[in-house]
Amino acid sequence: MDKLDKILSSMPKAKFSRQVDIKVKFKLYRLIFLEKLKSFNALPAYKMALAYKGLAFILAVTAIFSATSIYAYASNDIIPGTPLYPLKIAIEKIEQKIAITSTAKIDNYEKISNRRLQEAVNLSQQENKIVSEKINKNIDTNIANNQKIKNSINKLSDSEAVAAILQAKKRDQKELESLNKIADFAKNRNDEAVLQKVNEAREIINHQEYKQDEEIKYQDIKTFDLQSDNDENNNINNKNKETGSTYKKEKIDKIKSSSEENLLLYNNNSD
Amino acid sequence: MRKNKENFIPYYNQFKNKIYNYFLYRVGFNKPLAEDLTSEVFVKAFKNFDEFDEGKKFQSWIYMIAHNHLVNHYKADKHEVSLELMEDFLHYADTSAEEKYEFERVLKIISSMEGSDRDVLQLKFIDELNNQEIAETLEKEEGAIRTQISRSLVKLRKILNINVEE
């Protein structure tokens, strides 16, 4: 290769600027997109109609499944023996797994416990005796969940436990009402098996003791931070945290409505 | 036959610098103009991608489009080569001062030669196409291209030698 060839071959080569490169690529991709859109629109009318119908079908199935799941999950009419009951149980299991904290677990157990009892009440209204087994199974689940609630409450801190115990006691009262309803229906059917189970459940509720109950009553109530469903109570609590007097009085009244022995202990402590 | 247009992108990536270079040397090192022409060529090529025979070389095809586009551009917009821009371009090249001097000298001479001589020399040496590819680009016979290149080199040497003698 002579000198001229060498010079010609080693002429400097420029590079396309990155900025312009991006602009050109954008143009090309835009054209690709428009081509694809064109080809879709060019589909024969019947194919496009099929594509839209398919999409509409999928959306409809999804909507129906979602609606069914919500109905199955929320409805007390979905009782053991109905087709959607397994779906309801499956959703509850998922919900159980999602509940990680102690308070979330307690809420979950309470929800399920309440549901089982409501289902048992609905089952009780049926005439046949085949339902006895199902009712008893539901009550057993209710009892088991109550035990889980109790165990979970024991793991809570004192301040959290106060609210949880109050809530649990309210729930206990409601459960007793449901059990009474079940017992009435069972009596009408002369269903001894169910009556026995109901009595068992009542006994457990009536002798229910939450371990921290006694300890909490001896604490200085000024440090309490009760979470109540009653907004008014919350306002009073917050307002009187500084003074404590009205708050204290309400608390005393509440404790008075429980055992006298505990009240004596409280008064001794506050002196 | 309709092609998958996304297959065009790798070709673009492979030849964008070469086509840009092709234009830069032919539009007096006017960078913005060279960029515009490069962009237009690839968009044109994309739109006609269905006509490209994938059995043949993409390089030949894209250079042919670039060449025709340049011819059309010159028809529409006659301009003179700016030596100032060429000097700017060479100034930033990663070569020694001596080489830059030689490049400038040769490029000035090439730019003053006839169109056919200029085309084959640039395609052969700057764009690094082989004779067959040059023939496809210029839509001529390969034998004719070979002959043209030899003649153009002789002319260039004569002019260079004359300059040296002077």
Side-chain angles (χ1 to χ4, degrees), chain A residues 7-19:
Chain A
I7 291 169
L8 287 169
S9 303
S10 53
M11 286 281 184
K13 308 280 189 293
K15 276 192 175 175
F16 206 33
S17 89
R18 189 161 170 73
Q19 203 177 0

Side-chain angles (χ1 to χ4, degrees), chain A residues 2-4 7-8 10-17 20-21 24-25 27 29 31-32 35-36, chain B residues 2 5-6 9 12-13 16-17 20-21 24-25 35 39 46 89 93 103 107 110 125-126 157 160:
Chain A
D2 70 349
K3 194 182 173 186
L4 178 59
I7 291 169
L8 287 169
S10 53
M11 286 281 184
K13 308 280 189 293
K15 276 192 175 175
F16 206 33
S17 89
V20 181
D21 180 30
V24 174
K25 273 187 177 156
K27 271 186 201 171
Y29 278 114
L31 287 168
I32 290 169
E35 287 265 322
K36 286 191 174 176
Chain B
R2 289 196 75 85
K5 290 291 173 82
E6 285 177 22
I9 303 296
Y12 163 76
N13 286 330
K16 62 188 176 191
N17 289 330
Y20 173 63
N21 233 29
L24 193 66
Y25 273 87
E35 284 166 358
S39 168
F46 176 84
F89 171 71
F103 290 149
L107 281 172
I110 289 174
F125 294 102
I126 294 168
R157 282 199 181 93
L160 279 168

Side-chain angles (χ1 to χ4, degrees), chain B:
Chain B
M1 193 182 105
R2 289 196 75 85
K3 290 189 182 60
N4 180 0
K5 290 291 173 82
E6 285 177 22
N7 292 345
F8 184 84
I9 303 296
Y11 286 125
Y12 163 76
N13 286 330
Q14 191 181 352
F15 292 102
K16 62 188 176 191
N17 289 330
K18 285 194 164 190
I19 298 299
Y20 173 63
N21 233 29
Y22 173 90
F23 283 120
L24 193 66
Y25 273 87
R26 288 160 177 79
V27 295
F29 302 96
N30 183 335
K31 283 185 183 174
L33 180 58
E35 284 166 358
D36 285 344
L37 291 171
T38 307
S39 168
E40 286 161 13
V41 157
F42 277 106
V43 169
K44 207 185 250 185
F46 176 84
K47 287 179 179 173
N48 294 299
F49 191 50
D50 288 333
E51 292 168 23
F52 168 61
D53 181 358
E54 287 197 87
K56 292 189 178 171
K57 281 188 180 180
F58 184 86
Q59 181 167 266
S60 309
W61 187 66
I62 196 75
Y63 269 98
M64 192 175 70
I65 296 173
H67 174 77
N68 292 335
H69 193 70
L70 185 67
V71 166
N72 292 336
H73 170 76
Y74 276 133
K75 279 181 190 167
D77 181 22
K78 288 190 194 299
H79 67 282
E80 288 185 7
V81 171
S82 165
L83 294 176
E84 198 182 308
L85 288 174
M86 181 178 71
E87 283 164 12
D88 279 344
F89 171 71
L90 290 173
H91 176 71
Y92 289 105
D94 187 21
T95 52
S96 65
E98 206 179 81
E99 279 175 322
K100 278 179 189 170
Y101 171 74
E102 294 290 347
F103 290 149
E104 197 181 312
R105 204 161 72 95
V106 168
L107 281 172
K108 275 178 185 172
I109 293 167
I110 289 174
S111 66
S112 65
M113 289 171 85
E114 273 180 46
S116 54
D117 294 321
R118 194 172 60 232
D119 278 345
V120 294
L121 286 175
Q122 284 180 332
L123 284 168
K124 176 74 183 174
F125 294 102
I126 294 168
D127 299 312
E128 296 170 335
L129 300 187
N130 60 35
N131 291 348
Q132 190 192 351
E133 285 164 348
I134 295 170
E136 284 170 10
T137 303
L138 299 177
E139 293 175 290
K140 290 182 178 173
E141 294 291 326
E142 195 181 333
I145 294 297
R146 211 179 303 122
T147 311
Q148 180 80 55
I149 289 171
S150 301
R151 283 184 189 159
S152 303
L153 275 172
V154 165
K155 280 184 194 174
L156 182 58
R157 282 199 181 93
K158 262 188 185 168
I159 298 168
L160 279 168
N161 284 336
I162 290 166
N163 283 348
V164 164
E165 280 167 13
E166 281 173 5

